[in-house]
């Protein structure tokens, strides 16, 4: 047996309505459906499930969702224009033999760490 593609990522959020707006309208993810306080988005074949909860939400330490993009600077600028708080600017993480890896980190309304990443060739 071998595990392969991730099918779904679950993320607890304190307000399903606010999270639905952030991930759908601000980040522009395609919403699949909503069932109560569960909101599902498609991330190029991987489902993101946002679970609204009344429990205290603690942003996961060591947990980050990375979104692959083209033109990281332009995407970061568009999100900043929508008041998305970034922890810094897009920056070079490492140079590989065939590409450079660039990242920019930001947070959702609950403080979960998210990132943009681009493999520049």
């Amino acid at each position: 047996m071998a595990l392969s593609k991730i099918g779904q990522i679950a993320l607890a959020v304190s307000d399903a309505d606010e999270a639905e707006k952030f991930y759908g309208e601000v980040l522009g993810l395609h919403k699949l459906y909503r069932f109560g306080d569960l909101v599902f988005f498609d991330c190029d074949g991987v489902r993101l499930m946002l679970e609204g909860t009344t429990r205290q939400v603690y942003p996961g330490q060591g947990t980050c969702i990375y979104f692959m993009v083209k033109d990281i600077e332009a995407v970061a600028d568009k999100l900043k224009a929508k008041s998305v708080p970034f922890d810094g600017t897009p920056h070079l993480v490492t140079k590989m033999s065939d590409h450079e890896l660039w990242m920019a980190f930001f947070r959702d309304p609950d403080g979960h760490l998210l990132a943009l990443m681009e493999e520049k060739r």
Side-chain angles (χ1 to χ4, degrees):
M1 178 186 88
L3 301 179
S4 60
K5 178 181 172 183
I6 292 174
Q8 180 169 291
I9 297 171
L11 194 62
V13 296
S14 61
D15 183 326
D17 295 329
E18 182 179 31
E20 181 177 7
K21 288 178 187 171
F22 179 80
Y23 284 86
E25 296 173 17
V26 176
L27 298 186
L29 297 180
H30 172 70
K31 185 173 90 173
L32 296 169
Y33 57 93
R34 180 170 178 166
F35 180 75
D37 280 339
L38 299 176
V39 187
F40 296 84
F41 290 92
D42 175 54
C43 300
D44 197 25
V46 176
R47 226 177 12 240
L48 174 61
M49 180 187 80
L50 305 177
E51 178 185 9
T53 180
T54 57
R55 299 183 319 265
Q56 178 69 37
V57 173
Y58 299 99
Q61 293 182 345
T63 301
C64 182
I65 299 174
Y66 295 81
F67 294 95
M68 293 288 291
V69 298
K70 293 181 180 177
D71 197 353
I72 193 169
E73 292 86 357
V75 174
D77 287 344
K78 287 179 183 176
L79 292 177
K80 287 176 188 174
K82 294 181 178 185
S83 301
V84 173
F86 275 76
D87 291 354
T89 59
H91 60 280
L92 175 65
V93 173
T94 188
K95 290 184 179 187
M96 308 291 225
S97 62
D98 63 340
H99 69 276
E100 296 179 345
L101 180 60
W102 284 70
M103 294 186 183
F105 295 89
F106 61 102
R107 301 205 178 252
D108 77 358
D110 283 305
H112 294 294
L113 185 62
L114 306 171
L116 303 176
M117 65 184 286
E118 180 181 5
E119 295 178 348
K120 295 185 180 190
R121 300 201 184 274

